[in-house]
Amino acid sequence: MRIGILTSGGDSPGLNAVIRGIVRKGIRSHGSSFVGIRDGWRGLLEDDVFEMSMLDVRGLSGRGGTILGTSRTHPYEDGGPARMREVMAAHDIDAIVAIGGEGTLSGASRLVEEEGLNIVGVPKTIDNDLDNTDYTFGFDTAQSIATEAIDRLRTTAESHHRCMVIEVMGRNVGWIALHSGMAGGAHAILMPEFPVSMDQIGQWVTSARDRGRAPIVVVAEGFVPEGLDEQIADRGLDSRGRARLGGIANYLAPLIEETTGIETRATILGHLQRGGSPTAYDRVLSTRLGMAAADLAHDEQWGKMASLKGTDIVAVEMASAVDSLKTVPLDRWEEAQVLFG
């Protein structure tokens, strides 16, 4: 079997380890051959592909980013499925492994169901918001980077007796904020799932100060304080027409300072959370998911994706990953609040 591999959407630590896992397992166990597709669906629509061998994937486990490149090109643009069939036929490609998040897997599932294309998937997002998988690779790296940043900012906050507001990624869910905030000992964690009033934030910050601590507030970029109607976004729209988030920390910091009288500074981590080498956990998870995707393609389980359930890698429907977002549940929010203030 001849298989094309593409990475689409936002980059994530572990993408290269997935590619390596697919190619090594496919060649060694199934005798498959591989084609790399550059920049996601764009490469498949524009015939931008190249031969891939085990030599091309050596040493990739610890390398961040993606050697294939990525884009947010929609699979139904520029000729859509008909053009994809032409490119696949020209290179004798029998199947595609699509590695991506909500948008990628939604498009891939539609291409299987409506167009009959042979596609299997691997779930990817640092936000950990895809359903029907316990974790997505890249999340552990992102939360680890955020935790290290919190640790570093705590020392300067304590030196100057300041409050620090640290903004992490999380458009619709607060998994990174929750995990890094708990790991870093934050005095308040703010997430898109649960609006909080400025009075409550002020109480948590003041309580920490009164105990002799330099207050640490961790906020997900998609958090909307009570009283606001929409997320903070002053950077225009992205290629998909979504607001470019970023700035909630800058919005909150002066309000916290005004409310509490504590000098407050804001730090936005931004794309630092996506970059660099993946953690050991993400390297192993990515490799296992990649190897499982090679098996799915060999077994012709079109429309399925590799998923983590407990410690096992299993096959589930791609569509089930994008039917709804995996949000932080109420019990996790209530559990964390015991640590605030």
Side-chain angles (χ1 to χ4, degrees):
M1 181 177 289
R2 190 163 168 80
I3 302 170
I5 306 174
L6 63 83
T7 55
S8 181
D11 63 303
S12 177
L15 281 169
N16 284 322
V18 174
I19 296 166
R20 175 178 175 271
I22 295 168
V23 172
R24 291 181 67 88
K25 181 65 180 290
I27 292 175
R28 288 188 163 181
S29 297
H30 306 305
S32 302
S33 61
F34 289 91
V35 171
I37 301 168
R38 293 188 177 93
D39 300 338
W41 301 114
R42 184 200 67 77
L44 194 56
L45 292 167
E46 298 181 10
D47 197 359
D48 190 359
V49 306
F50 64 98
E51 296 290 326
M52 289 187 73
S53 67
M54 285 206 292
L55 185 64
D56 295 303
V57 300
R58 65 181 181 178
L60 288 185
S61 293
R63 182 173 167 183
T66 165
I67 63 168
L68 297 178
T70 187
S71 72
R72 298 190 184 278
T73 300
H74 195 281
Y76 280 79
E77 295 175 355
D78 303 322
R83 175 57 179 161
M84 290 181 185
R85 288 193 183 91
E86 291 177 3
V87 174
M88 291 175 70
H91 297 277
D92 297 320
I93 299 172
D94 301 301
I96 300 293
V97 178
I99 311 167
E102 179 187 6
T104 301
L105 296 180
S106 294
S109 178
R110 182 180 170 190
L111 288 169
V112 173
E113 294 175 4
E114 297 180 3
E115 309 296 338
L117 293 183
N118 298 339
I119 305 175
V120 298
V122 178
K124 172 273 314 174
T125 169
I126 67 168
D127 287 342
N128 196 40
D129 60 356
L130 287 176
D131 210 357
N132 213 2
T133 184
D134 288 351
Y135 284 98
T136 53
F137 70 87
F139 169 65
D140 186 68
T141 302
Q143 67 168 346
S144 297
I145 292 170
T147 299
E148 181 182 356
I150 294 168
D151 290 343
R152 291 177 179 275
L153 289 166
R154 179 184 298 281
T155 61
T156 185
E158 290 173 343
S159 297
H160 294 273
H161 313 292
R162 289 171 176 155
C163 171
M164 287 288 184
V165 182
I166 302 151
E167 180 179 318
V168 300
M169 284 186 169
R171 172 177 290 271
N172 298 305
V173 303
W175 288 109
I176 295 176
L178 177 66
H179 280 233
S180 65
M182 291 184 72
H187 302 103
I189 301 171
L190 309 174
M191 299 178 279
E193 293 92 334
F194 306 105
V196 178
S197 68
M198 284 305 305
D199 285 343
Q200 178 62 79
I201 297 170
Q203 289 176 27
W204 285 329
V205 168
T206 301
S207 174
R209 188 271 313 275
D210 291 346
R211 292 189 297 108
R213 303 304 305 278
I216 300 294
V217 178
V218 177
V219 58
E221 62 184 354
F223 171 71
V224 180
E226 283 186 1
L228 288 187
D229 296 327
E230 57 187 18
Q231 297 166 322
I232 299 295
D234 56 5
R235 303 177 183 179
L237 304 178
D238 64 18
S239 59
R240 297 170 61 187
R242 302 184 310 176
R244 286 196 176 99
L245 299 185
I248 183 62
N250 290 331
Y251 174 85
L252 290 175
L255 293 179
I256 291 173
E257 183 167 330
E258 180 182 343
T259 300
T260 65
I262 304 170
E263 184 180 0
T264 304
R265 300 294 176 86
T267 299
I268 300 174
L269 298 186
H271 287 80
L272 281 172
Q273 296 155 91
R274 292 189 182 276
S277 298
T279 59
Y281 179 88
D282 275 338
R283 296 182 197 194
V284 173
L285 176 58
S286 301
T287 301
R288 295 182 70 201
L289 290 171
M291 292 191 295
D295 292 338
L296 291 177
H298 177 263
D299 296 338
E300 300 184 358
Q301 295 196 50
W302 316 129
K304 297 292 182 66
M305 75 171 193
S307 170
L308 178 68
K309 295 293 184 180
T311 58
D312 297 327
I313 304 296
V314 300
V316 301
E317 296 290 337
M318 277 194 290
S320 68
V322 296
D323 285 342
S324 60
L325 289 175
K326 182 175 66 185
T327 57
V328 175
L330 179 61
D331 64 319
R332 292 294 305 273
W333 167 241
E334 292 175 339
E335 175 186 70
Q337 286 185 69
V338 176
L339 306 172
F340 296 173

